[in-house]
Amino acid sequence: MFAVHLNLLDVSTAPTGGAGAGAADVQGALWARAVPGDGLEHVRARSVPGGVGLVLYVRAPHREAAELRAYALLDRALAEGPARRYAVAAPP
């Protein structure tokens, strides 16, 4: 299992639902869209200034595969719903 660290930026101008709401939205979206092939084991999400800090724990044969799985899942999770207000700060 590999830990994949990501930072998301809030790209929306709409107000958020309060402290921690963004992290909860992103974490919920990740779990809602995760499939067994993603290898997602655990998610840590916390609100940080300007966005959300994430650590996705992904089961994979090597780090590159874990990162590819994490980014594919994140693309799906950020495509719709409340989490769409976020974008990956620095894609690979």
Side-chain angles (χ1 to χ4, degrees):
M1 180 170 31
F2 295 91
V4 180
H5 298 261
L6 303 159
N7 287 313
L8 305 180
L9 298 176
D10 187 342
V11 295
S12 173
T13 58
T16 62
D25 288 343
V26 171
Q27 187 167 355
L30 285 163
W31 284 116
R33 286 156 185 87
V35 297
D38 293 323
L40 186 63
E41 294 284 333
H42 184 68
V43 176
R44 291 189 57 124
R46 66 182 177 98
S47 293
V48 296
V52 174
L54 287 175
V55 182
L56 278 64
Y57 295 87
V58 179
R59 190 177 358 94
H62 50 80
R63 174 160 296 285
E64 183 178 297
E67 290 173 354
L68 290 172
R69 289 177 183 184
Y71 278 95
L73 172 56
L74 197 56
D75 281 345
R76 295 192 312 272
L78 300 181
E80 57 185 282
R84 72 179 176 277
R85 70 183 294 127
Y86 295 97
V88 178

